[in-house]
Amino acid sequence: MNLKNVRIIEHSLVQHKLSVLRDKETRPKDFREVLKEISALMFYEVTRNVATKKVRTKTPLGIAPGRVISGKMICMVPILRAGLGMTEGIHPLLPQSRIGHIGLYRDPKTLLPVDYFIKLPLDIDKRLVVLLDPMLATGNSLVEAINILKKANVKKIIYLGILAAPEGIKVVQKYHPDVPLYLAAVDKRLNSHGYIIPGLGDAGDRLFGTK
Ligand code: URA
């Protein structure tokens, strides 16, 4: 598999949280909490090289030179539903950043994405977009979400997910080789229903307790 634009975050804490998410005994309350935590830990890597500007800050005892990220530069875009669980973990880290939403569902027969809701900030074309969806399965939803963002003139997109199937990575690399993919792991394969094996099940259902 070509892993050129793929970054697997091997940090022990990330891998530990991933195992908790995978565990079928993890109930929705803990699943939500741990999804927030792993997303925040991974966001640390995603933002490692984000542009900063120099500031001089008055401390109680003097003036300290430093750097800040301009929150206005970033927009987080969860793909509904499961991406919402990741947004809750990372938005508090940069509370001035904006949040857009893309609602897609997979047609169970064709496995192709259907858009049902798109709401993006008007100035999204001037921002770095961090696209959030825990599962990169067939890759079709992610390709469609990136198409939507590129149509809105977004120039810099980073995908942050938790788990991927090799098949999905290949599809995204074919259509959007410019988008870096940050993940905690790449699993073996997809099953015939488009689920990642061994994966963690349906992330939306596990997050919201709908099954
Ligand atoms: N979406 C999920 O929530 N789980 C999968 O395994 C694949 C897609």
Side-chain angles (χ1 to χ4, degrees):
M1 192 184 22
N2 168 12
L3 289 176
K4 210 171 136 214
N5 61 335
V6 179
R7 173 78 204 282
I8 308 292
I9 302 177
E10 302 279 4
H11 194 288
S12 300
L13 207 41
V14 169
Q15 295 303 317
H16 170 85
K17 304 277 174 196
L18 172 60
S19 295
V20 178
L21 291 176
R22 286 187 190 276
D23 188 339
K24 70 184 176 66
E25 302 303 333
T26 301
R27 313 303 340 145
K29 179 176 180 292
D30 294 324
F31 191 92
R32 274 196 295 279
E33 230 13 75
V34 176
L35 183 59
K36 281 199 268 182
E37 291 168 357
I38 195 172
S39 304
L41 293 167
M42 293 175 75
F43 193 58
Y44 176 81
E45 280 303 320
V46 168
T47 50
R48 180 177 284 277
N49 295 313
V50 160
T52 54
K53 63 177 184 201
K54 286 187 181 164
V55 288
R56 289 174 64 76
T57 307
K58 273 189 201 160
T59 77
L61 297 176
I63 306 251
R67 296 188 295 140
V68 292
I69 297 175
S70 168
K72 278 204 190 129
M73 299 311 298
I74 295 190
C75 178
M76 302 168 181
V77 177
I79 301 178
L80 306 180
R81 303 179 279 169
L84 291 173
M86 299 181 73
T87 315
E88 280 191 41
I90 64 174
H91 192 253
L93 299 174
L94 276 179
Q96 315 88 326
S97 60
R98 298 296 190 258
I99 304 177
H101 293 89
I102 295 181
L104 300 172
Y105 69 85
R106 268 202 303 189
D107 182 300
K109 287 208 181 83
T110 62
L111 300 184
L112 290 175
V114 182
D115 320 354
Y116 64 89
F117 185 76
I118 301 172
K119 188 79 186 173
L120 303 171
L122 286 177
D123 62 353
I124 195 163
D125 55 323
K126 296 181 186 67
R127 296 171 182 267
L128 160 66
V129 171
V130 182
L131 191 51
L132 303 165
D133 188 355
M135 309 301 273
L136 198 184
T138 61
N140 296 331
S141 299
L142 187 54
V143 166
E144 178 60 13
I146 298 170
N147 287 341
I148 291 166
L149 293 172
K150 287 187 175 172
K151 255 187 234 151
N153 251 328
V154 177
K155 280 139 213 112
K156 180 84 184 116
I157 302 165
I158 296 178
Y159 166 72
L160 174 59
I162 308 294
L163 273 182
E167 297 91 325
I169 291 182
K170 213 167 152 190
V171 168
V172 179
Q173 284 174 331
K174 177 171 171 202
Y175 294 100
H176 299 294
D178 54 312
V179 175
L181 310 175
Y182 282 75
L183 292 158
V186 180
D187 274 6
K188 281 203 183 76
R189 62 179 178 89
L190 288 180
N191 71 9
S192 58
H193 303 286
Y195 280 92
I196 298 174
I197 304 299
L200 53 74
D202 186 302
D205 283 340
R206 296 204 56 197
L207 189 57
F208 297 110
T210 39
K211 222 175 229 170

